[in-house]
Amino acid sequence: MDDPLTISEAKSQTLGVEDRIVGLIPAEYVAEVVRQPQGVLLACDEEHVAWAGGLDVAMQSDPDFTQILEGIESDFGADARYTSTLETDTYGDPKLTLVDQHNGTWIIGPMKSGAVLSVLSFSQCFATPDGMQPSDTY
């Protein structure tokens, strides 16, 4: 929490990384992108929150999720602002976790129901805005 960050900036930065992730998915696999219209504030500590949101990418043409996530990992791995971890979840599916230098986090992996790639997003922590509290939507 080096620099003061507003809720609008936190959301904008987080959505920007979501857009970058979607842009790295080969276009022939993307049928539709559905972004959550609002996110929710999650507590980091008593005085700070993170903005959490996400999106789903409906896939087509029988995508290889491991190959797609490896491509995303390769791109972000070349960017010193991020660390990445590609692993297998408890269901045997690939899961990629990206973390930026301020602990913003993106978790990317296929959903169990259908050919959908899910992106869960969490901004870096910032001071709780006046009049807001954890669990509020924005």
Side-chain angles (χ1 to χ4, degrees):
M1 292 174 262
D2 303 329
D3 298 317
L5 189 69
T6 68
I7 189 171
S8 294
E9 292 167 333
K11 180 178 180 178
S12 177
Q13 289 175 7
T14 305
L15 295 178
V17 175
E18 286 183 2
D19 291 341
R20 179 175 170 187
I21 291 166
V22 171
L24 294 168
I25 300 169
E28 66 266 21
Y29 296 125
V30 178
E32 180 181 21
V33 178
V34 180
R35 177 173 273 146
Q36 297 172 10
Q38 291 187 320
V40 65
L41 298 181
L42 301 178
C44 295
D45 60 35
E46 289 186 16
E47 297 177 0
H48 297 89
V49 293
W51 182 87
L55 58 81
D56 292 325
V57 181
M59 308 293 278
Q60 60 190 8
S61 303
D62 195 27
D64 180 334
F65 286 112
T66 299
Q67 186 176 19
I68 291 169
L69 293 181
E70 286 172 347
I72 296 168
E73 180 185 36
S74 176
D75 185 83
F76 278 89
D79 187 332
R81 298 173 298 171
Y82 297 89
T83 58
S84 62
T85 305
L86 182 58
E87 57 193 346
T88 303
D89 68 15
T90 56
Y91 300 103
D93 293 320
K95 176 179 80 171
L96 176 61
T97 303
L98 303 171
V99 180
D100 73 13
Q101 76 272 24
H102 299 292
N103 289 320
T105 304
W106 295 263
I107 302 168
I108 310 149
M111 293 179 63
K112 297 312 297 170
S113 57
V116 175
L117 190 67
S118 176
V119 180
L120 303 175
S121 306
F122 308 90
S123 76
Q124 72 184 67
C125 295
F126 55 95
T128 304
D130 289 341
M132 297 190 85
Q133 63 185 4
S135 80
D136 284 350
T137 57
Y138 181 84

